[in-house]
Amino acid sequence: MRNDVADAPTVPPVGRFAPSPSGPLHFGSMVAALGSCLSARSRQGRWLLRIEDVDLPRSVPGAADGILRTLEAFGFAWDGEVVWQSRRTAAYREAFARLKADGQLFGCACTRKEMADSGLARDGTRRYPGTCRAGLPAGREARAWRLRVPPGRIVFLDGIQGRIEEDVSADVGDFVLLRADGLFAYQLAVVVDDAEAGVTEVVRGADLLDSTARQIVLQHLLALPTPSYAHLPVAINGAGEKLSKQTLARSVAGAPPARVLVDALAFLGQSPPPGLADGGLSDVWQWALRNWSLARVPSCRAAPCPAYA
Ligand code: GLU
């Protein structure tokens, strides 16, 4: 565990918001945008924006532009150019090649159907049973490429959720870095992108908590720094589902920005004063930047938000 807090020079943090363009911004994504932005900006840090369109089949045409426009309308201002994952294949290929040259990858012939009996990891993905780890079965070809996950526990101190521990090799197994459809996996893209952008803190929804240990494994193998992590509660609907396009979550684009931001602040435990929204967007931002406290964010993984479901 690092213990350099007392001596550390006060380097401004670099945070980021990294939406997947699978639909319009809903309240849950707004919470992640706001939490990541306030965490960095309240300490004079930089805040970056990356559109995670690495998963092209799940990207909805026009969604990214809608997200950017909505963020602007809500008073968000990011540093530098927007990074698009769909334009960063060369960087992912380079990291992939390094891992491959180091013997950390293996080709896998298994189909989803063949793995259907395998147990489930914490996040509901199939645990890889190790079928092709020692070589492809005779007559089979590699469909995907997996990381040879080293055994051992990953431990990190989440700024909101506390101590998190996971043995990725036991819980998830060797996970995919290059998919059968030829696309690089989110886990690889996010690690390469965060490192290249100099991101020092990742503040995002707790639905990604179970990906974090995988990402730390990759950072270790690629000799990249590990940022600090803080996972915000995820907004859920009455049925306990995370707000998403699938749950038909409402877009926040049509709602009054100051009102939505104040509701997001309340969701994040910041206790905005009554009437704050009436003063308009700039009052809300001013109050939020002065009063933001990560310590006040509830340390649960999910919380309901009936008004925006
Ligand atoms: N693109 C992911 C999402 O929209 C977020 C990834 C991240 O913040 O690391 O859920």
Side-chain angles (χ1 to χ4, degrees), residues 16-22 50 52 85 186 190 194 202-205 207-208 215 242:
R16 52 47 157 203
F17 175 52
S20 304
S22 51
R50 178 170 75 233
E52 298 215 314
Q85 285 189 328
Y186 154 72
V190 78
D194 281 343
V202 171
V203 178
R204 61 185 176 189
D207 52 322
L208 291 156
Q215 292 167 16
K242 178 195 157 194

Side-chain angles (χ1 to χ4, degrees), residues 8 64 78 91 130 138 149 182 192 211 214 244 299-301 309:
W78 49 90
V149 176
V192 170
S211 283
R214 265 170 263 190
S244 69
S299 58
C300 52
R301 294 205 185 185

Side-chain angles (χ1 to χ4, degrees), residues 282-308:
S282 65
D283 277 16
V284 175
W285 275 104
Q286 214 173 64
W287 184 90
L289 285 163
R290 275 209 198 115
N291 292 280
W292 171 255
S293 159
L294 197 69
R296 284 209 296 258
V297 177
S299 58
C300 52
R301 294 205 185 185
C305 60
Y308 292 94

